[in-house]
Amino acid sequence: MQHGPAVRRRKLGAELRALRARTGLTSGEAARLVGWHQSKVSRIETGTSGAKPADVRSLLDAYEVDDPQLREMMLLLAGADDGAGRDHWWHAYRGVLPPTYRDFISLESQAIAMRTLETTVVPGLLQTAEYAREVTRAAVEGVDEDRLDTLVEVRLARQDVLRADPPLVLSAVLDEAVLRREVGGPEVMARQLRRLVEAGRLPQVRLQVLPFAAGAHIGVTGPFVIFSFSNTSDLDVVVLDHLTSSLHLERKEDLEAYTEAFNALRIHALSPEDSLEYIAAIGDGA
């Protein structure tokens, strides 16, 4: 899991295999060109082993790939720094974070945009420290205080993507239940709602509330996240969280379905301006 989600490794491997085939090289010949054993090329192509960006560059050079956009896409699949200074800081927490969470952070750190439907809790990128602490305590059964401190630290570190240059563009639709669910008590929740209003005024953040009055909607099936990446939609991915794992969807038809669903949710939700007023009113006890 060192170099990104397994589904990304498989996509990278398939692309590299296609590029090698285009050159007419066997895997053994490709391996000799870059000074590797043939088994390493095979493991990368099947997605059973991650490939470092330097490995991918070596293969792209061997296959005489000079298309800059294609090279950038392949290196991004390999987990290369995106040029915005978003390094792989989460590797320092390898012993604490489960692989699925590291994968999520990897995608989040390299994306240029994130669209999310939240039906139960405030998005992690917009949580206050005390709200994050209470959510994490509830979600991770039996967590000790030291690990809890670390997980909250990670949650807050993730929020740096909103302050990067350029920042991640966040568009979030929040079911009203997110705002009404009292996490950590009234004072913690009041401060969290104020934080949402402040964040919603940032140019890179767009918040919309889906009020209870909207009735049943396509989002009742559960929350989801759509990550978008620079220059190409080929890397876009939908992430669905489950209790013990995450599902990554990258097929074109899946992306289209979830994009259409998100657009429909935005239509039924309050406008960003009205949403901030709605959030503030709930925070004032309305």
Side-chain angles (χ1 to χ4, degrees), residues 15-23 25-27 29-31 33-34 36 41 45 56-66 71 74:
E15 296 288 346
L16 287 171
R17 185 168 59 251
L19 290 171
R20 175 179 60 75
R22 192 180 70 182
T23 66
L25 294 170
T26 66
S27 59
E29 291 168 338
L33 280 175
V34 294
W36 300 344
V41 173
E45 290 186 352
V56 174
R57 289 190 186 94
S58 295
L59 290 173
L60 293 177
D61 290 343
Y63 303 155
E64 299 181 352
V65 176
D66 53 14
R71 289 181 70 96
M74 301 295 280

Side-chain angles (χ1 to χ4, degrees), residues 145-163:
E145 289 300 311
D146 287 344
R147 185 169 185 232
L148 181 59
D149 289 342
T150 301
L151 291 174
V152 172
E153 181 180 312
V154 169
R155 181 68 54 93
L156 298 181
R158 284 174 46 201
Q159 298 177 4
D160 285 346
V161 295
L162 294 176
R163 297 182 287 269

Side-chain angles (χ1 to χ4, degrees), residues 128-178:
T128 64
E130 52 191 355
Y131 183 98
R133 190 174 191 84
E134 294 305 320
V135 168
T136 304
R137 193 194 305 276
V140 185
E141 185 177 358
V143 63
D144 61 56
E145 289 300 311
D146 287 344
R147 185 169 185 232
L148 181 59
D149 289 342
T150 301
L151 291 174
V152 172
E153 181 180 312
V154 169
R155 181 68 54 93
L156 298 181
R158 284 174 46 201
Q159 298 177 4
D160 285 346
V161 295
L162 294 176
R163 297 182 287 269
D165 183 19
L168 175 77
V169 176
L170 173 64
S171 180
V173 174
L174 309 180
D175 189 274
E176 185 171 344
V178 172

Side-chain angles (χ1 to χ4, degrees), residues 13 35 42 66 73 80 82 90 96-97 112 160-161 169 179 189 195 199 205 214 231:
S42 296
D66 53 14
M73 183 184 78
D82 66 356
W90 58 92
V96 177
L97 305 180
I112 62 167
D160 285 346
V161 295
V169 176
L179 311 175
M189 200 62 203
R195 165 68 177 135
V205 177
N231 297 328

Side-chain angles (χ1 to χ4, degrees), residues 5 7 11 18 27 35 79 87-88 96 101 125-126 141 171 210 226 233 238 257 269:
V7 68
K11 185 177 180 67
S27 59
D87 60 15
H88 302 165
V96 177
Y101 193 16
L125 294 182
L126 303 178
E141 185 177 358
S171 180
L210 199 60
I226 306 172
S233 62
V238 177

